[in-house]
């Protein structure tokens, strides 16, 4: 430290001497000093005297220094650290304010330098730079125009200064610097003035919805260019939205991850224009993808751009086509952002009213076949080759058969050459099917609490025999007129394999209300017929009232006293249909996590509170808690006044308004067993996935070690219901594994015998202990572990099972491990 201080003091003296002599280029010496003083240039810092000397020097020297620093910035395009250093120096010596009298070449460099930020602190300076360029007859560089537009939209009190400049700007029609806008600008250059006018009209989409006048102008412009040309041109642009910026911005927080605000307005206009075109699957596909891209979550920011997502939803709602309705229905099962979900619900309700159907029926009828001609399969002849599209589990697979009948995986060259459009549509269908399968699986999984029943004929058409949904429905159990059935060998069959060919009323089967023996026999039936269910149904956990819950009467403590990662919990809750408000470290109140059950007249609540807040390690930059502590699960009538508690924690209280009466929580014994089981299953999922006890790197207890006791108790605790189900499955699965002779199940652990140690993998958390001294072994699983090949699996979607099996496979051959992080612990 003393050596650094001495070096910086000497460097300061050297630089001061060069300033006094007005040396023409002291930038190298300034950058050396900048590193020594850690870019600190304020009056009381070691670099303060240097700034003071520059500001006291002659104007000519200051101008030359500004020019040299700007040139150095330009030359450091690949060195982000040096660029930040130069920019801070320019700010310190007021070089960025030194505009008057600078030659045009220096101004050009300064404009490029300024354009690397999201918003500029001095709109007056931007205006003056623009005026000087206009006065000399030059157009403003596109990146600098983008900065002016961003500053005008995002800055404080900037419009009065920048509006006159914006009115004089003739281009570019969209801001450069994003992948889609760069491609658009390059292509627009060769498309002519009609296209320029069309996109310029899109830039006027500043309202929440298009006006009649806006639509009329837009339709006229579309007709001039040609509707098909508009669709073909715009769809590829929209597919590029959300890609990393091509012109990175520095020192700007989330600017690199959010949409350029000016371009976001243009995007809104473009999707409105798409809704004026004749319906086409490509249009619906592009709009649906844009909704999901625009709602992608960014830590500390939230959804990237809900404004664009909402515009795309409104555009889909205006398109009268099967493909658009399918996208609305699919998004309705996937979107969790409250504002956009409300728009989706409104659009779907309007479609239902328009067709005279229930909302549920519209969602069922909206699922396309995507070219499938039978359940899960289609063949398309392209020249002499045949494309075979098949649904295998959760994915669609495209394979090829030659004229000789040989099956090949790669696309035949003749198909690529002669059938490019058909091939493109087939590949798009594969992606569409994958997305819709996920959405429909989640929709079906939520049907247990919907109390839905179907007329037999309608159910067969919309579910069992539907080309896409049938691939899911045929792997589930149903009740037909009270008799449980499954689909096997081309027929609905009973437990005794007796065919069922007709019926009156159909419902989705749930294990609640069935005996353990009956459930086990149906599990055996599924295994006998090699049916892998799309989610847990026959193996679904059932949560019955415990003695402790009968004692507490109105609440369950089964999932209390856990520490959860807040943002992961928040996302999971939204996917499962719960409403939750992020806990901020502020003086405010928030309701518990709530799941409304209108079909049952009930509201389930999971009481949570923010954890910490005194330490910056406990909150994000945006002020939200990183972690939550959990408390009770309660049930209330659906219309009961809401409960709330302070974000930092404390007692939940009900605050009736408008003369409403206080409402007591309902006894757990009064909650229908199906509702109780499904709600507690959701909460078990939240804890099982979001608990910090699942983090293998937290053996030290996290920040300050204060979670050590919780991490240990959770990571090796008695198995919860989900882990018990996993254990029962492993009992049947392990004998089929290649490492079966090295594995045994004992209590809460899967024991794996390696050459170096015997390892105990906990079946709830996947945490590992090594014998003989139960030393902890940290193995961080990959982001997408796959289940090792183990033959038949009865259901999809258990990520923890995949993690446990992957670790077991690795540790059974521990002498072959090469990862140095793992080897250092063995």
């Amino acid at each position: 430290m003393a050596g650094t201080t001495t070096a910086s003091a000497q460097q300061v003296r050297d630089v001061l001497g060069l300033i006094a002599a007005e040396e023409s280029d002291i930038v190298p010496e300034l950058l050396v000093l900048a590193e020594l003083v850690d870019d600190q240039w304020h009056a009381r810092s070691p670099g303060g005297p240097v700034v003071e000397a520059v500001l006291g020097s002659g104007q000519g020297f200051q101008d030359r220094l500004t020019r040299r620093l700007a040139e150095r910035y330009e030359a450091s395009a690949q060195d982000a650290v040096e660029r930040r250093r130069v920019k801070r120096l320019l700010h310190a010596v007021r070089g960025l304010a030194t505009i008057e009298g600078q030659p045009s070449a220096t101004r050009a460099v300064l404009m490029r330098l300024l354009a690397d930020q999201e918003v500029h602190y001095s709109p007056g300076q931007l205006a003056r730079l623009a005026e000087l360029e206009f006065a000399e007859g030059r157009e403003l560089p596109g990146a600098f125009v983008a900065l002016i537009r961003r500053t005008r939209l995002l800055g404080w009190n900037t419009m009065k200064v920048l509006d006159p400049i914006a009115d004089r700007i003739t281009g570019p029609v969209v801001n450069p610097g994003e992948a889609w806008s760069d491609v658009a600008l390059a292509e627009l250059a060769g498309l002519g003035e009609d296209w320029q006018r069309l996109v310029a009209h899109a830039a006027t989409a500043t309202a929440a919805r298009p006006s009649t006048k806006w639509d009329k102008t837009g339709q006229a412009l579309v007709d001039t260019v040609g509707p098909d040309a508009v669709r073909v041109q715009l769809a590829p642009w929209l597919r590029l939205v959300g890609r990393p910026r091509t012109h990175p911005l520095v020192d700007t927080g989330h600017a690199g991850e959010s949409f350029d605000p000016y371009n976001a307005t243009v995007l809104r206009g473009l999707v409105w224009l798409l809704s004026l075109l004749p319906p086409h699957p490509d249009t619906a596909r592009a709009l649906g993808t844009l909704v999901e891209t625009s709602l992608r979550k960014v830590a500390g920011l939230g959804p990237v751009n809900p404004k664009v997502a909402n515009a795309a939803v409104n555009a889909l709602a205006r398109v009268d086509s099967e493909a658009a309705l399918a996208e609305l229905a699919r998004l309705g099962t996937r979107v969790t952002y409250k504002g956009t979900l409300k728009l989706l619900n409104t659009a779907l309700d309007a479609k239902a009213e328009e067709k005279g159907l229930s909302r549920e029926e519209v969602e069922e009828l909206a699922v396309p076949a995507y070219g499938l001609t039978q359940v899960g399969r289609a063949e398309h002849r392209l020249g002499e080759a045949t494309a075979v599209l098949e649904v295998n589990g959760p994915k669609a697979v495209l394979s090829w058969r030659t004229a000789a009948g040989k099956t090949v995986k790669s696309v035949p060259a003749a198909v690529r050459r002669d059938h490019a459009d058909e091939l493109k549509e087939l590949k798009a269908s594969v992606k569409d099917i994958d997305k819709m399968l996920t959405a429909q699986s989640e929709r079906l999984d939520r049907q247990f609490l919907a109390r839905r029943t179907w007329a037999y004929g309608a159910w067969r058409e919309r579910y069992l025999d539907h080309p896409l949904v049938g691939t899911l429905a045929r792997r589930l159990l149903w009740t037909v007129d009270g008799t449980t059935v499954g689909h096997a060998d081309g027929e609905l069959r009973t437990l005794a394999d007796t065919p069922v060919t007709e019926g009156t009323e159909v419902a989705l089967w749930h294990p609640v209300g069935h005996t353990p023996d009956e459930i086990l026999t149906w599990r055996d039936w599924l295994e006998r017929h090699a049916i892998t269910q799309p989610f847990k149904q026959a193996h679904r956990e059932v949560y019955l009232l415990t003695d402790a819950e009968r004692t507490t009467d109105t609440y369950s403590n089964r999932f209390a006293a856990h520490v959860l990662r807040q943002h992961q919990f928040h996302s999971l809750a939204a996917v499962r249909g719960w409403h939750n408000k992020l806990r901020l470290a502020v003086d405010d109140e928030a309701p518990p996590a709530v799941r409304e059950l209108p079909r049952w007249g009930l509201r389930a609540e999971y009481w949570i509170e923010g954890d910490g807040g005194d330490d910056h390690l406990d909150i994000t930059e945006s002020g939200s808690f990183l972690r939550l502590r959990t408390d009770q699960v309660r049930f209330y009538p659906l219309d009961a006044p809401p409960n709330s508690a302070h974000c930092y924690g404390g007692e939940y209280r009900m605050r009736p308004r408008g003369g409403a009466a206080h409402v007591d929580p309902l006894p757990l014994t009064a909650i229908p067993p199906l509702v109780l089981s499904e709600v507690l299953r959701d909460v078990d999922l939240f804890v099982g996935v979001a608990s910090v006890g699942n983090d293998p790197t937290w053996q030290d207890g996290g920040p300050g070690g204060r979670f050590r006791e919780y991490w240990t108790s959770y990571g090796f605790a008695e198995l919860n219901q989900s882990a018990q189900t996993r254990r029962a499955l492993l009992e049947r699965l392990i004998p089929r594994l290649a490492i079966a002779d090295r594995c045994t199940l004992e209590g809460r652990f899967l024991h794996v015998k390696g050459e170096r140690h015997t390892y105990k993998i906990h079946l709830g958390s996947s945490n590992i202990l090594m014998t003989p001294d139960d030393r902890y072994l940290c193995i961080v699983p990959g982001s997408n572990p796959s289940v090792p090949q183990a033959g038949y699996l009865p259901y999809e979607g258990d990520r923890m099972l995949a993690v446990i099996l992957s670790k077991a496979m690795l540790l059974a051959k521990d002498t072959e491990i090469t990862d140095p992080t793992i080897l250092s612990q063995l």
Side-chain angles (χ1 to χ4, degrees):
M1 186 70 180
T4 302
T5 303
T6 302
S8 63
Q10 181 58 50
Q11 187 69 11
V12 167
R13 288 192 289 273
D14 293 344
V15 170
L16 288 173
L18 293 171
I19 294 171
E22 294 195 352
E23 285 289 337
S24 59
D25 187 8
I26 63 168
V27 171
E29 288 78 6
L30 280 172
L31 290 177
V32 170
L33 178 58
E35 184 172 5
L36 290 173
V37 301
D38 196 26
D39 297 317
Q40 298 299 310
W41 300 107
H42 55 83
R44 287 182 240 174
S45 72
V50 171
V51 172
E52 185 179 349
V54 170
L55 296 178
S57 64
Q59 189 61 49
F61 174 74
Q62 291 185 37
D63 291 347
R64 290 196 303 276
L65 177 59
T66 295
R67 188 159 54 251
R68 296 284 189 179
L69 282 169
E71 291 167 354
R72 184 62 176 253
Y73 182 89
E74 187 82 352
S76 304
Q78 305 304 316
D79 190 339
V81 173
E82 182 165 299
R83 281 198 150 197
R84 281 194 293 271
R85 187 154 283 154
V86 172
K87 182 172 281 191
R88 287 168 185 167
L89 258 170
L90 275 164
H91 276 294
V93 300
R94 301 179 190 169
L96 292 178
T98 310
I99 296 171
E100 305 295 341
Q102 293 284 6
S104 60
T106 300
R107 288 204 307 271
V109 175
L110 284 174
M111 284 189 288
R112 287 195 291 271
L113 187 152
L114 291 170
D116 284 353
Q117 54 194 348
E118 183 180 25
V119 178
H120 189 48
Y121 67 95
S122 175
Q125 186 187 49
L126 298 183
R128 184 58 183 149
L129 264 171
E131 288 166 354
L132 290 170
E133 292 296 295
F134 289 150
E136 295 182 11
R138 278 188 293 276
E139 290 187 2
L140 301 179
F144 186 66
V145 168
L147 173 64
I148 290 174
R149 288 170 171 168
R150 289 195 299 268
T151 301
R152 179 175 172 271
L153 290 171
L154 300 177
W156 177 257
N157 200 25
T158 60
M159 291 191 176
K160 183 177 180 181
V161 177
L162 293 179
D163 275 0
I165 302 300
D167 291 341
R168 295 181 64 181
I169 290 173
T170 58
V173 70
V174 293
N175 282 351
E178 295 183 318
W180 81 269
S181 64
D182 285 357
V183 169
L185 288 171
E187 294 179 353
L188 284 169
L191 290 175
E193 292 184 3
D194 290 336
W195 265 99
Q196 294 283 342
R197 283 192 286 269
L198 183 75
V199 180
H201 181 60
T204 66
T206 55
R209 294 174 184 271
S211 65
T212 302
K213 181 180 178 181
W214 195 97
D215 273 348
K216 184 177 180 181
T217 302
Q219 188 68 65
L221 291 167
V222 165
D223 292 342
T224 301
V225 172
D228 287 342
V230 172
R231 173 179 51 78
V232 170
Q233 196 71 50
L234 295 190
W237 294 357
L238 297 187
R239 285 196 289 270
L240 294 173
V241 174
R243 300 260 182 108
R245 283 189 62 88
T246 55
H247 183 155
L249 304 177
V250 297
D251 296 333
T252 51
H254 297 291
E257 299 172 288
S258 59
F259 295 172
D260 182 293
Y262 183 84
N263 286 355
T265 298
V266 178
L267 284 171
R268 180 156 61 180
L270 293 179
V271 301
W272 289 352
L273 291 172
L274 282 175
S275 70
L276 300 175
L277 307 179
H280 192 282
D282 276 355
T283 301
R285 192 176 290 135
L287 292 172
T289 300
L290 183 62
V291 172
E292 294 179 295
T293 300
S294 303
L295 294 180
R296 179 177 54 84
K297 297 285 183 64
V298 175
L301 175 67
V304 174
N305 199 298
K307 180 175 80 171
V308 173
N310 294 347
V313 169
N314 286 330
L316 281 168
R318 299 206 309 167
V319 176
D320 185 16
S321 75
E322 178 185 280
L325 181 56
E327 280 299 311
L328 287 171
R330 182 183 70 81
L331 292 167
T333 68
R334 302 290 293 161
V335 167
T336 60
Y337 181 69
K338 191 174 181 179
T340 307
L341 183 57
K342 182 178 179 181
L343 283 178
L344 283 164
N345 287 331
T346 300
L348 287 167
D349 288 343
K351 295 286 186 183
E353 184 177 353
E354 176 186 315
K355 296 176 181 295
L357 300 170
S358 70
R359 164 73 179 273
E360 291 83 358
E361 288 177 305
V362 165
E363 290 176 343
E364 291 166 354
L365 294 171
V367 184
Y370 294 113
L372 299 171
T373 53
Q374 52 187 296
V375 176
R377 196 173 195 279
E379 293 189 3
H380 300 275
R381 190 68 182 265
L382 302 180
E384 294 187 352
T386 300
V388 181
L389 179 58
E390 293 182 295
V391 177
N392 293 332
K395 294 287 183 182
V397 178
L398 188 62
S399 61
W400 298 88
R401 200 166 57 236
T402 64
K406 181 181 178 182
T407 299
V408 294
K409 291 184 178 180
S410 59
V411 182
V415 172
R416 293 183 186 276
R417 183 184 66 243
D418 301 330
H419 302 276
D421 290 341
E422 295 99 318
L423 177 61
K424 177 184 175 183
E425 184 59 31
L426 273 173
K427 290 183 174 180
S429 293
V430 169
K431 293 180 180 179
D432 289 344
I433 288 171
D434 287 350
K435 289 181 179 180
M436 186 59 84
L437 280 171
T438 300
Q440 291 302 311
S441 180
E442 291 176 355
R443 184 176 71 84
L444 279 165
D445 195 14
R446 292 202 290 262
Q447 292 299 307
F448 292 112
L449 286 175
R451 304 182 87 174
R452 289 289 309 283
T453 59
W454 296 266
Y456 181 81
W459 169 76
R460 285 207 68 123
E461 178 185 353
R462 300 173 192 175
Y463 286 87
L464 199 69
D465 298 331
H466 187 280
L468 180 71
V469 183
T471 65
L472 302 169
R474 293 185 176 192
R475 295 188 285 141
L476 294 172
L477 300 178
W478 304 84
T479 60
V480 176
D481 297 335
T483 299
T484 305
V485 297
H487 190 275
D489 301 324
E491 297 277 3
L492 284 174
R493 298 181 183 276
T494 66
L495 192 58
D497 278 338
T498 303
V500 175
T501 57
E502 58 184 19
T504 304
E505 185 177 84
V506 181
L508 189 60
W509 182 90
H510 191 283
V512 162
H514 297 274
T515 66
D517 286 344
E518 183 184 356
I519 295 169
L520 286 173
T521 53
W522 272 110
R523 290 178 183 177
D524 291 338
W525 186 91
L526 290 167
E527 184 171 348
R528 186 168 75 248
H529 290 288
I531 296 172
T532 297
Q533 298 201 290
F535 47 82
K536 288 183 184 179
Q537 186 191 28
H539 291 75
R540 202 172 189 85
E541 300 83 7
V542 175
Y543 298 78
L544 304 176
L545 274 181
T546 64
D547 290 340
E549 287 163 341
R550 289 189 175 88
T551 300
T552 56
D553 186 30
T554 58
Y555 61 89
S556 170
N557 270 332
R558 199 185 303 199
F559 301 104
H562 286 284
V563 181
L564 309 184
R565 293 177 287 267
Q566 171 167 220
H567 293 83
Q568 191 171 17
F569 164 77
H570 185 69
S571 297
L572 283 169
V575 168
R576 295 299 301 170
W578 290 68
H579 303 295
N580 181 58
K581 182 178 180 180
L582 283 173
R583 265 50 179 179
L584 302 176
V586 295
D587 185 14
D588 194 10
E589 293 209 348
V594 169
R595 182 169 183 181
E596 295 179 342
L597 305 164
R599 295 296 179 92
W600 303 85
L602 295 172
R603 181 181 82 221
E605 296 186 353
Y606 190 25
W607 288 9
I608 54 177
E609 63 182 48
D611 178 84
D614 297 329
D615 191 325
H616 70 280
L617 297 175
D618 291 327
I619 58 175
T620 66
E621 291 182 4
S622 59
S624 59
F625 287 101
L626 285 170
R627 289 169 291 276
L628 302 170
R629 288 194 180 270
T630 68
D631 202 343
Q632 304 170 4
V633 174
R634 293 190 175 207
F635 292 85
Y636 289 85
L638 185 62
D639 57 357
N643 289 301
S644 64
H646 199 280
C647 291
Y648 275 98
E651 183 180 356
Y652 273 91
R653 292 177 293 175
M654 184 176 287
R655 294 174 174 79
R657 295 178 181 175
H662 184 278
V663 177
D664 291 329
L666 297 169
L668 297 180
T669 52
I671 306 304
L674 175 61
V675 174
L676 180 73
S677 185
E678 284 298 296
V679 167
L680 292 182
R681 184 176 185 270
D682 278 353
V683 177
D684 196 356
L685 171 71
F686 302 155
V687 172
V689 174
S691 171
V692 299
N694 284 328
D695 189 334
T697 66
W698 268 42
Q699 66 182 103
D700 61 353
R706 68 176 187 274
F707 301 107
R708 184 179 293 111
E709 183 178 346
Y710 170 76
W711 184 88
T712 302
S713 64
Y714 179 87
F716 302 102
E718 292 296 330
L719 301 183
N720 60 15
Q721 201 73 29
S722 180
Q724 289 177 24
T725 301
R726 191 175 300 123
R727 190 188 193 284
L729 174 58
L730 285 168
E731 285 180 342
R732 305 176 72 129
L733 186 61
I734 286 172
R736 306 171 189 160
L737 298 178
I739 59 170
D741 60 332
R742 293 180 171 268
C743 296
T744 55
L745 280 168
E746 297 182 26
R748 293 166 278 170
F749 296 92
L750 170 61
H751 290 240
V752 181
K753 182 174 174 53
E755 297 297 329
R756 301 171 185 264
H757 301 277
T758 294
Y759 307 91
K760 296 159 57 177
I761 307 175
H762 190 261
L763 300 178
S765 65
S766 84
N767 288 334
I768 305 167
L769 298 175
M770 297 185 290
T771 59
D773 55 353
D774 277 355
R775 186 157 43 94
Y776 177 68
L777 173 62
C778 176
I779 297 180
V780 180
S783 60
N784 185 30
S786 57
V787 177
Q789 187 60 42
Y792 167 77
L793 290 173
Y795 53 81
E796 297 163 356
D798 189 345
R799 184 180 185 278
M800 188 59 73
L801 173 65
V803 170
I804 290 169
L805 288 173
S806 296
K807 289 181 177 181
M809 294 290 190
L810 177 72
L811 296 172
K813 300 178 181 180
D814 56 2
T815 56
E816 299 178 15
I817 293 173
T818 57
D819 187 302
T821 304
I822 300 175
L823 285 175
S824 66
Q825 302 174 73
L826 298 179

